[in-house]
Amino acid sequence: MYIPKDVREKYGEKYHIVTYEDRIELVPVADDHFAAVREAAGELRDASVDDIGADIEAEAKAAARENGDDR
């Protein structure tokens, strides 16, 4: 598989291949796994477990309301 130079320069040369029923996706593999996790965590680093749980619960309730589920 050929990946253009500008794409390799931007995302690197290592990818996970994710397969779906109707397509595949290439997901870049971070050179520094710990930096990638820190970046993905973002604002969670400063949040308490209780705050994170409350945010998850609020998002789930909002999604349920949007889908017409009143639970």
Side-chain angles (χ1 to χ4, degrees), residues 4-5 7-8 13 18-19 23 34-35 37-39 50 58 63:
K5 182 179 180 183
V7 174
R8 291 191 318 267
E13 296 189 13
V18 182
T19 59
R23 69 183 189 279
F34 292 116
V37 169
R38 285 190 295 275
E39 182 179 328
D50 290 335

Side-chain angles (χ1 to χ4, degrees), residues 9-40:
E9 288 175 346
K10 183 174 182 178
Y11 297 106
E13 296 189 13
K14 295 182 182 179
Y15 296 85
H16 291 288
I17 298 174
V18 182
T19 59
Y20 298 95
E21 287 184 22
D22 61 342
R23 69 183 189 279
I24 63 168
E25 291 184 9
L26 299 177
V27 179
V29 175
D31 291 331
D32 182 348
H33 299 291
F34 292 116
V37 169
R38 285 190 295 275
E39 182 179 328

Side-chain angles (χ1 to χ4, degrees), residues 51-68:
D51 290 341
I52 294 169
D55 286 347
I56 291 170
E57 184 175 352
E59 287 181 26
K61 286 180 179 179
R65 281 192 300 274
E66 287 178 16
N67 293 323

